Amino acid sequence: MSRHEHESAEALSRRFEALQGRWHEIVNAGDPAADELKDLVDACVTHLRRAEFHHTLADRFIRVAGVVLIALDHDGCVATINEPGARSLGYTADQMTGLDWFDTFIPQSQRAAVRGVFDQLIAGQVTNVQTFENEVIRHDGTTRRFAWRNDVWKDDSGAILGTLSCGRDVTDERHARHAVRSSEARLRAVVDTAVDAIVTIDTRGTIQTVNAAAESMFGYSADEMVGQNVSMLMPSPYRDEHDQYLQRYLKTGVKHIIGIGREATGRRKDGSVFPIDLAVSEVRVGDERSFTGIVRDITDRRQLQKQVLEIGTEEQQRIGRDLHDGLGQQLTGIAFLTGVLQKKLAARSLPEAEDAGEIVGLANQAIRDTRSL
């Protein structure tokens, strides 16, 4: 039972009038006054059902924008509807009065279900307020989705006259939620198909989410990681220093990894360690802060670097052998033959002997340079 049910109509009117200007703010922002408003709506419906609702309060209530207040008679025809509600459907209240609610305003695919709730209320088969959502056809043929609270409408003797429904257009809200869910699904698909491990943590270092690549890389399941400190993925001494680094950053704002990235070391579930590239970014949503780490296993890259170094060393050795065994010996041969030629020219007192001597000197210098290389 509503705590306002026994208040007078005038008291309810004053209380409701104080809240009605904040209707959208209360309903859409989760305002604590939403419970107060709900109690007032329940009380108003109760007064309407008992035919004790004061005319002034009724007028004020049914004029509230954003709310559809509608009464259906025993046959399911519109007995009365507030003007804002009628306008939201593209009609005036007079135009809607007397129209069959189900045949005119409910899509064929949903008609049986909505009619079923109405029939149960009319038959007195349910005693509690019924809530559900359905599409409503507007005058221009478009549809809008409404959330309803439905109750029976009785006269003073308790005989059921019809139903009373209070509805709110939730079309945009549902579209927004669908868009958010679609965006989240697309983002999750991208994250889950990423080759790199992606791990998010809060300001305490607690793991919030991981992707499939992180499970594969570290050997843990998501359930084993989420809720644990991220240091479980690090070997000592990094695991012992991580929380201190995080708290120091939160206090000073001095970045060592965040937004920069570096090579580090990861630790798998089996205790094995491996080299990683770690890039960390900070995300702020309102007052909440979290950190996203993108981890790449660079074991293959390190092995490739090692192979490149080994190949380079082998190539240096090969070149050295070629210089020593090939070019060096050839130069030695040239120097020897040129020396013999120099002696023959000198024996004949030919001036070319001096040129041959210079060639010998140059050949010997080339030999020394080759040995140095």
Side-chain angles (χ1 to χ4, degrees), residues 294-307:
I294 300 178
V295 185
R296 175 171 295 177
D297 186 342
I298 59 173
T299 302
D300 292 342
R301 189 170 78 190
R302 287 285 182 84
Q303 291 177 344
L304 180 61
Q305 290 173 341
K306 181 181 177 181
Q307 291 174 357

Side-chain angles (χ1 to χ4, degrees), residues 1-61:
M1 178 182 294
S2 168
R3 58 194 177 93
H4 298 291
E5 186 168 334
H6 297 295
E7 291 189 45
S8 68
E10 285 300 332
L12 285 172
S13 176
R14 290 192 297 272
R15 193 182 296 276
F16 189 85
E17 193 172 54
L19 290 171
Q20 69 176 10
R22 297 174 57 211
W23 171 265
H24 291 290
E25 174 189 350
I26 290 171
V27 172
N28 295 328
D31 194 290
D35 291 337
E36 172 82 1
L37 186 58
K38 175 180 175 297
D39 285 339
L40 285 170
V41 170
D42 288 342
C44 292
V45 170
T46 298
H47 277 281
L48 276 172
R49 189 174 65 246
R50 295 176 179 174
E52 297 170 355
F53 198 58
H54 191 277
H55 180 71
T56 302
L57 176 58
D59 284 346
R60 289 175 181 172
F61 181 66

Side-chain angles (χ1 to χ4, degrees), residues 50-220:
R50 295 176 179 174
E52 297 170 355
F53 198 58
H54 191 277
H55 180 71
T56 302
L57 176 58
D59 284 346
R60 289 175 181 172
F61 181 66
I62 65 177
R63 283 199 300 269
V64 176
V67 178
V68 178
L69 185 65
I70 184 172
L72 302 182
D73 63 20
H74 204 276
D75 296 323
C77 294
V78 178
T80 183
I81 185 171
N82 62 331
E83 280 292 349
R87 285 197 301 272
S88 70
L89 298 177
Y91 294 85
T92 65
D94 289 340
Q95 288 174 326
M96 291 186 64
T97 301
L99 295 178
D100 186 294
W101 176 251
F102 305 102
D103 290 344
T104 309
F105 301 100
I106 307 300
Q108 179 68 40
S109 60
Q110 302 176 25
R111 197 168 296 166
V114 178
R115 182 80 195 208
V117 174
F118 173 81
D119 290 341
Q120 288 181 329
L121 287 168
I122 291 296
Q125 296 175 354
V126 289
T127 57
N128 58 319
V129 174
Q130 297 294 297
T131 60
F132 63 88
E133 294 183 14
N134 66 273
E135 307 293 329
V136 178
I137 303 173
R138 300 181 74 252
H139 187 269
D140 60 7
T142 60
T143 60
R144 303 288 292 181
R145 190 168 187 83
F146 281 80
W148 300 97
R149 289 173 57 82
N150 306 278
D151 204 351
V152 293
W153 174 21
K154 297 180 180 179
D155 61 15
D156 292 338
S157 66
I160 296 177
L161 301 175
T163 61
L164 292 171
S165 300
C166 182
R168 182 170 63 90
D169 190 332
V170 295
T171 307
D172 295 337
E173 178 183 329
R174 293 295 179 272
H175 286 168
R177 289 182 182 178
H178 177 72
V180 170
R181 285 195 295 269
S182 297
S183 178
E184 289 176 345
R186 287 193 295 270
L187 177 60
R188 191 69 212 177
V190 171
V191 170
D192 283 340
T193 55
V195 175
D196 296 333
I198 301 177
V199 180
T200 61
I201 64 172
D202 61 18
T203 54
R204 295 182 297 276
T206 302
I207 298 174
Q208 296 177 315
T209 63
V210 296
N211 68 340
E215 294 180 281
S216 176
M217 183 179 296
F218 291 99
Y220 293 96

